[in-house]
Amino acid sequence: MNQVSSFIDSSMNQQLILGCLLFSFLYSCNPNHEKSTLAFQKLTCNHKEKPLSIETEQPLFSWNVSSKELNKSQSAYQLLVASSPEILNENDADVWNSGKTTSSKSTFVKYNGKALKAMQKYFWKVKIWDEKEQPSEWSDIQKFEMGLMNNENWGDSKWITLSKDTRTSPYQFRDYKTGRMKTPQKVNGFAASYFRNEVDISKGIKNAQAYICGLGYYELYLNGEKVGDHVLDPAPSNYDKQAYYVNYDITKALKSGKNAFGIIVGNGFYGQNISWKRDPESERDLAYGPPTVKLLVKLKYEDGTEKDIYTDDTWKEATGPIVFNNVYGGDTYDASYEINGWNSVGYNDESWGNAKLASPKIDKISAQQIPAIKKLKELEPVKVFKGSDGEWIVDFGQNIAGWVKLNVKEKEGQLIEVITTEALLNNGKDIFQGSTGGGANGMPQIYQYICKSDKQESWEPKFSYHGFKYAKIKGISKKPDANMIKAVLVATDIQETGSFASSDELLNKMHSISKWTIVDNVHGIPEDCPHREKCGWLGDAHAFCEYALYNYDMYDFYKKYMEDISTQMRPTKGHNNPDINFQVPTMIAPGKRTSTYAKIDWGVATMYLPWYNYLYYGDETIVKDYYEDMKDLTNYYLSYKGENGIMQDGMGDWCPPRWDRRKNPSAMECNPIVSANAYFYDVLGIMENFAKMNKDAAFETEMKNEKEALKKAFNTAYLIEIPNTEHKWYGSQTATVQALQFGMVPDTAIEAVVNGLVYDIVAVKGGHHSTGIHGNRYIYTVLTKYGKADLAHQILTTPEFPSQTYVMNSGFTTWPERQFEWEKMEGPTNSLNHPMHSGFAAYFFESLGGIKSSKTKPGYKEFIVHPEFPDTITSTDVSVPTPYGNIKNSWSVTDGVFTMNLEVPFNTKAILPLSEIQKKTLKINGEPWEKIKALETSGNGIYIGSGSYSINYKK
């Protein structure tokens, strides 16, 4: 290169650099080209990050965004979906390019591209524009993978079950005895099944996906190691109508050459053929059949070829050391029958038989979308002592659901028996079996382990879980300690996403107990208790639903439970019009223990669960999916309308103080029909909204008219004057609370009704509640809303029966089913772990924390921030999960000044309902609120956009 050329190139480079610098300077000075402050925090498909096994044809995309600026929102988005990350750009995306879409919607955006293919992986990213039309950067690349999507894609995979029960252990039998039986019956149930198969892999593997459906609980093994960390998998369901498979990526676990697959299948609820068989409200046989399993492994080789591995009758079968398993009674493990290496390559299985092909009746198999059940926590003994019979008793300090984990050294053939219970006798000298002793279901909670040698041996169960705080251990030669025994908390791994704390430690403890009671009772369904019944009672489910939604990510959990309710429906004749059949759920879902048809106050869970899911998440899918079911059920309940306009049906305000169905029925002060009709009034309003969402104008009008008619009939029938006072009420605390909560009280009577409620609590009941689950859910919220926050706090915190503080002072670490005077009993009867009694604790979030979603812009797109609290509480911190990110509210009162530190997620608005007096001293981030131009007002509400705020005013 000569000097002239070199000079020219140098000059051109300098000009280019100067030009770039000038352009950058001008760009940075241009207000229309501000650098985006938007940052993507979390991106989900169907509410999951990078999910496997999506089965919806139109997945839903959501994204959380953060910004350092205040009052930021979204004005548009663009979504790209492609079959590979290399072509995920605006020009080449081959599956979907939404284009720039003017919309503020950033949650549950529906896919609208090409048909998605089963078992295919897709990649996506999103870009948004803020309220000033300024674009963000593209998000990081995300991915999702489709599931099998239909039964045909299971290919040649077959259902297999045990051909022959070869158990010979004498410990395979247990005693079964219900309260009505004079002598116990020996039972052994279906055997746990062991299946194995070896396959040869001769080529390099690019990808390997395992799909397994267990009818009953399964565990999958590959080359001697368990696949995944799930236990008690899959979730229970109405197996004849809906079963669930689980997808594992096993690419890294497979190796070149021989590979061994192993599967153990236990009864779970599918093969549970012992307990509840004599229950008058259940089918005679609760089992669907013997434990059965289907496995499909899809292999993709590096050379582009594919291969399927699957279960069929070439698989080998045997029984093994799990000689008894029942989800109620427990596991028995006879270690002398262990099969070392059975799930590894090279094991000699010549003595094993061939698996039997099965044809179970199942309408649909789909991917399990809810979080799996897992081992969540281990608890060590907090106290060890000898019972009155000389046997060791271990106190774990917390009532949990799960099992015990043993590490023992005893003689060969030694039987070690662990009896798990929730309670001790009131004198503390021995265990009290109460609800865990077999009574109703016939199977006491017992774990049994038979030693194979005199060396150290470790074991934990696989196919059952118990509710317990204590364990009596028989058959050991030394005092148990943390090395010998631990308790393992086992439950659906719902993620705790909310939080509450206040200046009142009693309330903080109630919050902790309420959470424990929920976590202990989620095992694929919302249970009533984790021991005696393990059933999904509909009334219990809606009683604690809102509190659960404040604390946990329950999006998929309640969608799955709605499948259970829907598949539990059966044709039922109308009450006033028996010529018409309606689809009606039973009191329990899922399963063959059904009780009767769902009475109104239980059956309304069918409407409440979709409503709460919609209100808390803003996804209308659940409403659209079950609208026809909800509509039909509403019409069924309308068939109970009497001449007075009241539906003549109801179960009742379950478990008020001192109530016993047989010994003290009158303790339920609220007539079941009254509380059921109050719920039904609320549900008619919900159905009016749902009809509008579904463009069903005729039904919308009908619901509006029915709601107005029921309000009039309810007040005519039940609103009464309290003698010798100027007060009114609805005949019980529960009915009065419900009427106030649901807006049934005439405007002119509200003050008299509130005073009537207060009168009964204070003057008649001595400062105590008399409510069961229907009234207790709302009583503290209602009192607080109507200016009686101090009374609400008093009812909760008085140490006298029947307050929540009384229950805590009685030593309970979960909420008992009954409200009894425990010190007067030999031992605490009935369940001591019932989440229906956790529902009241929503008060901590909706009243003390003051956070509630708008009903017109659900999913916290807009939300109300209005803490209401008693004088005794001086601070509260809450964090509320939303699809946009967490709302955080930390407030305190000092020297008469209320200060609130509030975090509002991107693309949402907070509404502060303030009085004119409060507005006079209101400052936001140090500025008088009138000077902040970005604020919007409507009525008494001040609207605040996203960001962090310090808000204060004089009380």
Side-chain angles (χ1 to χ4, degrees):
M1 181 182 293
N2 60 35
Q3 290 182 345
V4 175
S5 297
S6 178
F7 173 78
I8 292 172
D9 287 347
S10 176
S11 297
M12 290 178 67
N13 286 339
Q14 289 175 7
Q15 291 177 36
L16 182 61
I17 292 169
L18 287 171
C20 289
L21 290 171
L22 179 61
F23 178 79
S24 297
F25 174 75
L26 292 173
Y27 185 91
S28 65
C29 292
N30 187 339
N32 294 322
H33 295 285
E34 296 174 3
K35 185 177 180 181
S36 175
T37 63
L38 306 177
F40 290 98
Q41 299 298 314
K42 181 180 180 181
L43 298 101
T44 61
C45 175
N46 279 13
H47 203 66
K48 300 179 183 65
E49 295 183 83
K50 301 176 181 177
L52 298 173
S53 298
I54 294 295
E55 299 217 317
T56 49
E57 294 179 354
Q58 291 184 286
L60 303 171
F61 300 100
S62 303
W63 46 90
N64 290 172
V65 176
S66 66
S67 174
K68 295 179 181 178
E69 298 180 71
L70 298 178
N71 203 31
K72 300 294 291 181
S73 60
Q74 175 186 296
S75 63
Y77 68 82
Q78 184 175 7
L79 265 164
L80 300 178
V81 182
S83 57
S84 73
E86 290 78 19
I87 58 173
L88 189 62
N89 59 67
E90 293 180 74
N91 295 323
D92 303 315
D94 59 338
V95 182
W96 186 38
N97 182 346
S98 71
K100 183 179 179 181
T101 304
T102 301
S103 172
S104 66
K105 191 171 180 61
S106 59
T107 61
F108 307 108
V109 174
K110 186 176 289 188
Y111 173 82
N112 195 26
K114 295 179 181 178
L116 299 171
K117 298 177 181 178
M119 297 172 285
Q120 294 298 304
K121 188 179 294 183
Y122 295 95
F123 302 85
W124 68 282
K125 63 181 179 180
V126 65
K127 175 182 183 178
I128 68 169
W129 285 259
D130 68 13
E131 76 289 346
K132 297 177 182 177
E133 286 291 319
Q134 295 302 310
S136 70
E137 302 293 332
W138 284 101
S139 70
D140 290 340
I141 295 176
Q142 307 298 305
K143 63 183 178 181
F144 64 93
E145 192 160 345
M146 302 302 290
L148 294 172
M149 299 188 76
N150 57 57
N151 288 346
E152 288 72 29
N153 285 324
W154 282 92
D156 292 325
S157 178
K158 302 292 192 298
W159 291 107
I160 58 172
T161 191
L162 191 66
S163 176
K164 185 178 181 181
D165 183 351
T166 57
R167 286 176 292 178
T168 58
S169 170
Y171 296 103
Q172 66 179 284
F173 296 100
R174 292 276 190 98
D175 284 344
Y176 170 72
K177 182 180 181 298
T178 66
R180 299 178 182 182
M181 296 170 64
K182 293 182 179 180
T183 57
Q185 173 186 346
K186 292 292 183 183
V187 293
N188 64 353
F190 293 120
S193 311
Y194 290 70
F195 302 106
R196 74 179 309 273
N197 192 29
E198 292 189 17
V199 296
D200 197 3
I201 295 176
S202 57
K203 295 188 285 187
I205 297 172
K206 182 180 180 181
N207 186 269
Q209 299 293 323
Y211 305 91
I212 183 167
C213 179
L215 302 179
Y217 295 139
Y218 74 88
E219 287 198 348
L220 173 64
Y221 294 84
L222 177 55
N223 297 324
E225 299 293 328
K226 182 181 171 183
V227 175
D229 59 355
H230 300 187
V231 297
L232 304 176
D233 215 24
S237 63
N238 289 307
Y239 297 97
D240 54 341
K241 299 180 180 70
Q242 171 71 69
Y244 297 102
Y245 73 83
V246 179
N247 179 194
Y248 298 100
D249 186 333
I250 59 170
T251 308
K252 295 180 180 179
L254 285 170
K255 60 186 182 181
S256 178
K258 288 283 188 181
N259 289 265
F261 286 91
I263 306 172
I264 313 176
V265 193
N267 289 308
F269 289 96
Y270 182 86
Q272 199 291 108
N273 62 349
I274 297 174
S275 289
W276 297 108
K277 291 180 73 169
R278 293 174 179 266
D279 178 32
E281 295 182 342
S282 301
E283 296 186 26
R284 294 284 71 81
D285 188 352
L286 273 63
Y288 294 82
T292 304
V293 69
K294 176 191 281 193
L295 171 70
L296 171 66
V297 178
K298 303 287 290 187
L299 297 180
K300 292 183 180 180
Y301 293 114
E302 291 175 347
D303 64 6
T305 58
E306 299 183 2
K307 179 183 178 181
D308 288 354
I309 300 168
Y310 45 83
T311 46
D312 60 16
D313 56 5
T314 66
W315 281 56
K316 294 289 190 170
E317 68 158 33
T319 57
I322 302 174
V323 297
F324 178 88
N325 74 103
N326 178 273
V327 73
Y328 294 99
D331 289 20
T332 296
Y333 190 93
D334 190 338
S336 63
Y337 288 84
E338 279 186 353
I339 321 168
N340 293 324
W342 72 276
N343 49 19
S344 299
V345 172
Y347 174 79
N348 185 351
D349 59 13
E350 287 185 3
S351 63
W352 288 39
N354 283 79
K356 176 184 176 182
L357 296 184
S359 300
K361 180 186 179 301
I362 302 172
D363 291 343
K364 182 182 178 183
I365 308 172
S366 53
Q368 178 168 282
Q369 301 294 342
I370 66 171
I373 299 173
K374 296 183 180 181
K375 295 186 284 186
L376 301 180
K377 185 177 183 179
E378 290 188 355
L379 287 77
E380 296 186 352
V382 297
K383 183 180 179 183
V384 178
F385 62 98
K386 282 191 174 182
S388 56
D389 60 356
E391 303 289 355
W392 289 108
I393 297 171
V394 176
D395 178 358
F396 293 105
Q398 173 64 50
N399 199 7
I400 70 163
W403 54 60
V404 294
K405 182 178 181 180
L406 295 177
N407 183 33
V408 295
K409 185 178 181 181
E410 299 295 340
K411 64 183 179 181
E412 180 180 352
Q414 177 65 47
L415 168 65
I416 297 171
E417 187 170 85
V418 181
I419 304 169
T420 54
T421 73
E422 294 189 286
L424 301 176
L425 295 167
N426 276 354
N427 62 21
K429 293 183 179 180
D430 214 330
I431 59 172
F432 181 76
Q433 289 186 271
S435 64
T436 64
N441 68 38
M443 295 294 293
Q445 291 188 160
I446 297 174
Y447 287 119
Q448 293 179 327
Y449 180 80
I450 297 91
C451 298
K452 63 183 175 184
S453 69
D454 59 0
K455 297 180 173 59
Q456 204 76 31
E457 298 175 20
S458 298
W459 173 76
E460 59 186 307
K462 292 185 184 299
F463 298 134
S464 60
Y465 62 99
H466 291 165
F468 66 99
K469 182 183 177 186
Y470 303 93
K472 173 179 278 193
I473 315 176
K474 298 180 178 181
I476 54 174
S477 57
K478 67 176 184 178
K479 183 178 180 179
D481 58 16
N483 292 322
M484 180 188 291
I485 187 168
K486 290 181 174 68
V488 183
L489 172 65
V490 177
T492 299
D493 191 18
I494 52 175
Q495 295 300 299
E496 184 173 348
T497 47
S499 64
F500 164 83
S502 77
S503 57
D504 190 323
E505 287 304 317
L506 282 175
L507 301 190
N508 297 342
K509 187 176 180 181
M510 290 177 201
H511 175 56
S512 176
I513 289 175
S514 298
K515 288 192 300 178
W516 267 109
T517 313
I518 287 177
V519 170
D520 285 351
N521 284 281
V522 284
H523 296 92
I525 60 171
E527 293 167 316
D528 65 325
C529 60
H531 34 66
R532 182 186 66 205
E533 297 187 56
K534 306 179 197 279
C535 286
W537 288 87
L538 272 60
D540 302 48
H542 76 76
F544 72 83
C545 178
E546 288 192 272
Y547 177 69
L549 287 163
Y550 271 122
N551 285 282
Y552 302 99
D553 184 349
M554 305 293 286
Y555 174 82
D556 284 308
F557 189 84
Y558 283 125
K559 290 185 79 170
K560 183 267 177 187
Y561 192 57
M562 278 305 298
E563 289 182 355
D564 294 330
I565 294 174
S566 181
T567 53
Q568 191 78 335
M569 289 182 169
R570 52 206 59 194
T572 306
K573 295 181 183 299
H575 186 264
N576 293 338
N577 42 0
D579 293 337
I580 301 176
N581 268 342
F582 299 89
Q583 289 295 313
V584 180
T586 56
M587 294 286 282
I588 299 169
K592 290 190 174 184
R593 183 168 183 246
T594 58
S595 188
T596 182
Y597 75 93
K599 305 288 180 64
I600 288 178
D601 38 354
W602 260 239
V604 291
T606 311
M607 298 78 157
Y608 270 134
L609 298 186
W611 169 243
Y612 293 146
N613 233 44
Y614 173 64
L615 185 63
Y616 283 71
Y617 294 109
D619 176 19
E620 64 181 17
T621 307
I622 193 170
V623 177
K624 300 290 182 70
D625 287 348
Y626 297 103
Y627 177 65
E628 292 302 327
D629 285 346
M630 294 186 284
K631 182 178 177 179
D632 200 45
L633 183 59
T634 302
N635 285 328
Y636 172 71
Y637 290 142
L638 284 169
S639 81
Y640 279 86
K641 186 187 293 186
E643 293 182 1
N644 62 352
I646 299 295
M647 313 312 128
Q648 302 300 309
D649 186 57
M651 182 70 175
D653 185 32
W654 216 240
C655 296
R658 296 189 180 91
W659 176 81
D660 185 279
R661 185 167 27 180
R662 297 180 182 87
K663 298 178 181 178
N664 190 17
S666 64
M668 185 184 289
E669 296 180 355
C670 184
N671 185 306
I673 289 176
V674 180
S675 52
N677 274 266
Y679 270 133
F680 192 54
Y681 172 82
D682 192 41
V683 161
L684 289 171
I686 291 170
M687 290 307 299
E688 182 184 351
N689 281 328
F690 287 173
K692 186 175 183 179
M693 291 169 61
N694 283 275
K695 297 181 173 55
D696 188 349
F699 195 66
E700 180 185 355
T701 300
E702 183 183 348
M703 291 299 95
K704 182 180 179 180
N705 293 338
E706 290 288 358
K707 184 180 178 185
E708 291 173 355
L710 181 53
K711 181 176 181 177
K712 182 178 180 181
F714 191 88
N715 282 291
T716 299
Y718 304 124
L719 180 57
I720 58 175
E721 295 182 353
I722 299 177
N724 304 315
T725 75
E726 297 180 355
H727 312 319
K728 296 181 179 181
W729 76 331
Y730 292 84
S732 66
Q733 288 183 18
T734 288
T736 306
V737 164
Q738 286 182 301
L740 288 165
Q741 171 68 21
F742 300 144
M744 303 182 78
V745 184
D747 291 344
T748 55
I750 287 177
E751 183 178 356
V753 169
V754 170
N755 290 336
L757 175 62
V758 171
Y759 174 80
D760 187 75
I761 293 169
V762 176
V764 180
K765 302 297 191 315
H768 300 298
H769 74 271
S770 60
T771 50
I773 61 171
H774 297 338
N776 223 42
R777 162 60 186 92
Y778 301 112
I779 188 170
Y780 311 106
T781 298
V782 163
L783 286 170
T784 300
K785 176 182 178 181
Y786 288 101
K788 308 298 179 182
D790 289 333
L791 179 58
H793 184 262
Q794 176 190 326
I795 298 170
L796 279 171
T797 58
T798 178
E800 299 171 357
F801 173 84
S803 75
Q804 306 300 134
T805 298
Y806 165 82
V807 176
M808 294 192 301
N809 290 346
S810 298
F812 297 108
T813 58
T814 50
W815 299 124
E817 175 186 16
R818 299 300 184 93
Q819 300 184 62
F820 287 153
E821 293 175 90
W822 302 109
E823 67 276 6
K824 297 180 179 181
M825 307 172 73
E826 178 191 15
T829 60
N830 297 89
S831 164
L832 307 184
N833 199 341
H834 246 64
M836 66 185 188
H837 286 302
S838 290
F840 83 93
Y843 154 80
F844 298 148
F845 291 87
E846 63 193 10
S847 296
L848 302 185
I851 307 295
K852 289 188 284 189
S853 178
S854 162
K855 293 181 180 179
T856 56
K857 294 190 177 178
Y860 296 95
K861 177 68 173 171
E862 289 185 359
F863 56 92
I864 298 159
V865 183
H866 186 48
E868 297 176 288
F869 48 92
D871 291 338
T872 49
I873 296 180
T874 57
S875 66
T876 292
D877 293 282
V878 293
S879 179
V880 175
T882 85
Y884 302 90
N886 275 34
I887 300 165
K888 295 182 180 179
N889 184 16
S890 175
W891 64 258
S892 62
V893 178
T894 306
D895 297 328
V897 176
F898 176 83
T899 300
M900 179 165 60
N901 294 311
L902 179 66
E903 293 185 21
V904 181
F906 174 83
N907 208 29
T908 69
K909 286 185 178 180
I911 307 168
L912 308 181
L914 298 170
S915 68
E916 292 303 318
I917 294 175
Q918 291 168 334
K919 289 178 183 177
K920 287 181 180 179
T921 59
L922 175 63
K923 289 185 177 181
I924 299 176
N925 290 344
E927 291 286 330
W929 73 276
E930 304 99 319
K931 294 184 178 181
I932 304 175
K933 295 180 180 179
L935 293 181
E936 302 173 30
T937 61
S938 177
N940 287 332
I942 296 176
Y943 287 69
I944 297 177
S946 66
S948 298
Y949 299 91
S950 176
I951 300 165
N952 58 70
Y953 55 83
K954 289 185 180 178
K955 283 204 68 179

